[in-house]
Amino acid sequence: MRYLGGKYRLRKQIAEVIKEHRGLPLSGKVKPYWEPFTGSAWVTTQVDKEPIYASDINKYLITMWKALQNEWEPPKNITEDKYNAIREGRKQVSDELMAFVGFGCSWGGKWFGGYARGEDRNWAREAHDSLLNKVDKLQDVNFFQADFLQVEPPENNMVIYCDPPYKGTTGYKGTGDWNADKFWNRVEYLSNKSHKLLVSEYKAPDKFDLVWQQETKTDLNTKDGKEKRIEKIFTI
Ligand SMILES: C[S@@+](CC[C@H](N)C(=O)[O-])C[C@H]1O[C@@H](n2cnc3c(N)ncnc32)[C@H](O)[C@@H]1O
């Protein structure tokens, strides 16, 4: 499923970084894992060894993940009329279908950002297939809806991987303008409570350290091809 800011391309590399921080080699145990900005769960699919928690502020999305875990099957086709009726509230649908249509059938995976069409592709069918493939890897994940800025972690001593909206971005349901300062304060507060936080962003306040970086292509076109960025992970 297309998802704005989805980490499809980097999911394996990021999961390696997470793995390094979860290991407790002497005891053979791993630290509990929480991903509070799970979105389309690309990184979550690559994390193994329970306990694994994943949350997001978008209640529709979380309901969709839980429904998929309980064998809900999304539709294979959504017409443009139906898309618009759902978007405009003329047609009432379940929360899981709302998430599927809002992201999976929208241009660029941006929440109701316009009906995805063209390239002779059935975007709903592709989102359907992608979700059903993915959910097999998510059966052991504890999904819940939460605002990262407000909620306490579900366990002590967790490894917490954050992939928040990047500074200055919009396009997620119910998030408005992203408050990056509040976010970094919260990361520091949780780190002081003995959690290990790993954060994807292009920039971090000075007191944070870079633990990983890699050049990647974005979906944005420039005259020289796809725009390149350096993806980074920070910790404190
Ligand atoms: C960059 S996306 C995450 C993408 C994800 N890593 C993936 O591969 O699909 C950011 C996510 O943060 C969520 N979000 C925004 N504000 C939030 C908040 N205050 N608390 C929790 N989640 C939030 C959005 O709903 C969105 O799913």
Side-chain angles (χ1 to χ4, degrees):
M1 181 173 84
R2 301 288 297 274
Y3 197 83
L4 183 70
K7 287 286 184 291
Y8 168 72
R9 292 194 186 106
L10 292 169
R11 65 196 190 286
K12 291 194 171 28
Q13 293 93 317
I14 294 174
E16 278 305 310
V17 179
I18 293 166
K19 199 172 170 182
E20 274 167 36
H21 286 89
R22 282 187 82 197
L24 295 173
L26 291 179
S27 64
K29 282 189 183 160
V30 293
K31 288 188 178 180
Y33 176 70
W34 177 34
E35 197 176 322
F37 301 87
T38 189
S40 61
W42 278 117
V43 177
T44 326
T45 59
Q46 304 302 308
V47 176
D48 52 13
K49 298 219 171 72
E50 293 168 65
I52 302 169
Y53 297 86
S55 58
D56 199 282
I57 202 167
N58 187 324
K59 71 164 182 157
Y60 301 102
L61 190 69
I62 294 299
T63 306
M64 183 190 78
W65 285 125
K66 288 186 179 169
L68 286 160
Q69 284 179 321
N70 288 314
E71 297 184 9
W72 174 67
E73 188 179 346
K76 295 185 182 122
N77 191 36
I78 294 285
T79 62
E80 188 162 0
D81 282 349
K82 190 165 182 187
Y83 177 92
N84 287 328
I86 294 171
R87 174 164 71 170
E88 290 155 19
R90 286 182 283 113
K91 186 167 176 55
Q92 297 303 312
V93 294
S94 65
D95 285 0
E96 56 268 32
L97 186 55
M98 188 86 163
F100 177 77
V101 176
F103 289 114
C105 304
S106 289
W107 190 245
K110 190 167 176 175
W111 182 254
F112 283 107
Y115 184 66
R117 68 164 84 76
E119 295 176 32
D120 245 351
R121 288 162 71 170
N122 176 347
W123 294 89
R125 176 71 205 229
E126 288 184 27
H128 163 280
D129 294 352
S130 148
L131 287 173
L132 291 190
N133 280 332
K134 221 189 254 182
V135 77
D136 282 346
K137 301 195 191 94
L138 295 170
Q139 283 305 334
D140 297 328
V141 176
N142 300 294
F143 283 105
F144 61 100
Q145 187 267 339
D147 179 350
F148 173 74
L149 301 176
Q150 313 265 345
V151 74
E152 288 298 322
E155 293 196 26
N156 295 325
N157 273 313
M158 301 195 87
V159 169
I160 303 174
Y161 166 65
C162 297
D163 183 21
Y166 285 1
K167 199 172 175 185
T169 47
T170 54
Y172 298 105
K173 163 79 187 157
T175 53
D177 282 342
W178 176 242
N179 189 331
D181 293 339
K182 251 190 175 172
F183 167 73
W184 288 109
N185 287 340
R186 186 76 188 164
V187 170
E188 201 177 341
Y189 161 82
L190 293 175
S191 304
N192 289 335
K193 290 185 122 187
S194 80
H195 298 288
K196 182 69 186 171
L197 280 96
L198 300 165
V199 179
S200 277
E201 242 299 3
Y202 294 131
K203 268 192 180 160
D206 287 347
K207 58 177 90 153
F208 287 82
D209 299 319
L210 182 67
V211 287
W212 172 89
Q213 63 177 345
Q214 186 168 316
E215 188 176 280
T216 179
K217 286 182 187 156
T218 66
D219 289 330
L220 305 167
N221 291 311
T222 67
K223 63 178 175 28
D224 304 319
K226 295 279 181 202
E227 187 179 299
K228 289 183 185 154
R229 296 257 169 91
I230 312 270
E231 286 285 341
K232 298 177 182 163
I233 295 181
F234 296 92
T235 194
I236 189 166

